């Protein structure tokens, strides 16, 4: 049984259609990627999943049951917007929020210290949120979402404002939570993060689903249009090969754009006739390239 099932949900705000018939399934122990530009319907969908707003039609099922108040203690939500009180100490508000989720004050305090140690910031315990950088505020907000050990996590732009070191720290943490069996609905503007973390995705555009399914299977249906070539000498004349649309210089070689996969062998043959080839790789399309093909522009 799927942990989460969304079946043809719709949501209107006046004359505006925010979500138009979205359906998807998320398994236990899965990170599911929900993608789309601003106004696509991602956040509205997440808020309906959380029970914060109700769909106008369709249904949302948790383990075969409709939403009920008992789910609140088993859910964790990291919103895209900052939601912490800037002038209150980290310890005071995180413990309070954990108590709202059913934890005792003692257990919440213990878990907070464990999470601060895990994120290598134990000194933030008595600091006010406004004293922290935006990135560290995001780490504290992440702790607020997971401190009560929820089974279900809704992460909307979880890595926003983080430097590369802290992005890797949180990615590792999200994967650990998945391996513990958590069900995670994940949204990010960074397509490379989605590719690393998610097995299944859904792309929304103007409140509609434009692409949904297993990421690897989706990639296999799109043409391979890039070749990476690295050689010990300069290679000339590739632009003249049929099917080659562009040749770009890279730091360690060439990126060759093709319109037909049949061009790959003539490119390799021409390169080997002029130099020793250390790398020749026909690249699968990136999620960002797929997004642009389906939506017509880069992810905002």
């Amino acid at each position: 049984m799927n942990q989460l099932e969304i079946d043809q949900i719709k949501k209107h705000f006046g004359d505006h259609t925010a979500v138009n018939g979205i359906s998807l399934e998320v398994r236990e122990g899965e990170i599911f990627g929900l993608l789309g530009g601003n106004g696509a319907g991602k956040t509205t969908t997440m808020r309906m999943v959380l029970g914060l707003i109700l769909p106008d039609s369709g249904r949302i099922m948790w383990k075969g049951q409709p939403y009920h108040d008992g789910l609140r203690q088993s859910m964790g939500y990291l919103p895209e917007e900052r939601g912490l009180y800037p002038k209150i100490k980290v310890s005071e508000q995180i413990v309070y929020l954990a108590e709202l989720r059913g934890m005792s004050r003692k257990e919440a305090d213990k878990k907070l210290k464990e999470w601060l140690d895990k994120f290598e910031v134990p000194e933030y315990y008595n600091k006010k949120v406004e004293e922290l950088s935006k990135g560290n505020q995001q780490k504290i907000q992440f702790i607020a979402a997971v401190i009560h050990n929820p089974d279900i996590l809704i992460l909307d732009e979880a890595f926003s404002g983080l430097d590369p070191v802290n992005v890797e720290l949180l990615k590792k943490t999200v994967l650990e939570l998945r391996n513990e069996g958590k069900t995670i609905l994940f949204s990010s503007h960074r397509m490379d993060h989605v590719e690393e973390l998610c097995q299944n995705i859904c792309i929304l555009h103007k409140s509609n689903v434009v692409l949904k399914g297993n990421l690897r299977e989706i990639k296999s249906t799109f043409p391979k249009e890039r070749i990476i070539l690295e050689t010990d000498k300069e290679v000339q004349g590739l632009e003249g090969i049929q099917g080659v649309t562009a040749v770009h210089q890279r730091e360690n070689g060439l990126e060759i754009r093709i319109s037909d996969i049949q061009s790959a062998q003539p490119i390799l043959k021409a390169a080997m006739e002029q130099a020793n080839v250390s790398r020749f790789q026909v690249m699968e399309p990136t999620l960002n390239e797929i997004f642009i093909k389906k939506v017509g522009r880069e992810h905002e």
Side-chain angles (χ1 to χ4, degrees), residues 163-175:
D163 61 50
V165 172
N166 283 316
V167 166
E168 291 304 314
L169 177 62
L170 250 67
K171 273 198 292 188
K172 179 182 176 183
T173 303
V174 170
L175 289 171

Side-chain angles (χ1 to χ4, degrees), residues 125-142:
Y125 181 85
N126 280 315
K127 284 187 178 293
K128 294 178 181 178
V129 170
E130 67 182 1
E131 297 175 316
L132 309 181
S133 67
K134 289 184 178 180
N136 285 322
Q137 288 180 26
Q138 184 72 350
K139 288 161 76 173
I140 299 303
Q141 190 151 288
F142 183 90

Side-chain angles (χ1 to χ4, degrees), residues 173-205:
T173 303
V174 170
L175 289 171
E176 288 172 353
L177 292 168
R178 179 204 65 186
N179 293 339
E180 292 172 7
K182 310 300 185 189
T183 300
I184 302 172
L185 190 59
F186 177 85
S187 172
S188 176
H189 286 95
R190 288 286 302 272
M191 294 296 183
D192 52 337
H193 295 160
V194 175
E195 289 192 80
E196 287 182 63
L197 296 172
C198 301
Q199 182 178 356
N200 296 289
I201 64 165
C202 177
I203 296 178
L204 305 179
H205 181 53

Side-chain angles (χ1 to χ4, degrees), residues 1-7 24-32 49-50 59-68 70-71 73-76 149-154 177-178 180-185:
M1 180 183 294
N2 292 315
Q3 185 85 338
L4 168 64
E5 294 185 23
I6 297 175
D7 183 22
L24 57 88
E25 303 83 35
V26 187
R27 301 187 305 271
E28 183 177 353
E30 177 183 6
I31 306 172
F32 189 102
V49 166
L50 287 160
R59 62 177 190 165
I60 298 172
M61 305 292 284
W62 290 104
K63 294 184 178 179
Q65 300 293 322
Y67 181 86
H68 54 86
L71 282 170
Q73 293 187 6
S74 62
M75 286 183 170
N149 194 30
D151 295 325
I152 303 149
L153 278 171
I154 313 296
L177 292 168
R178 179 204 65 186
E180 292 172 7
K182 310 300 185 189
T183 300
I184 302 172
L185 190 59

Side-chain angles (χ1 to χ4, degrees), residues 218-226 257-261 282-286 289-290 293:
I218 287 171
K219 285 190 172 189
S220 70
T221 66
F222 283 79
K224 297 177 178 179
E225 299 176 329
R226 261 188 325 134
R257 290 282 176 171
I258 59 173
S259 60
D260 186 348
I261 193 64
V282 181
M283 306 295 290
E284 66 177 7
T286 66
E289 290 169 335
I290 291 170
K293 283 181 179 291

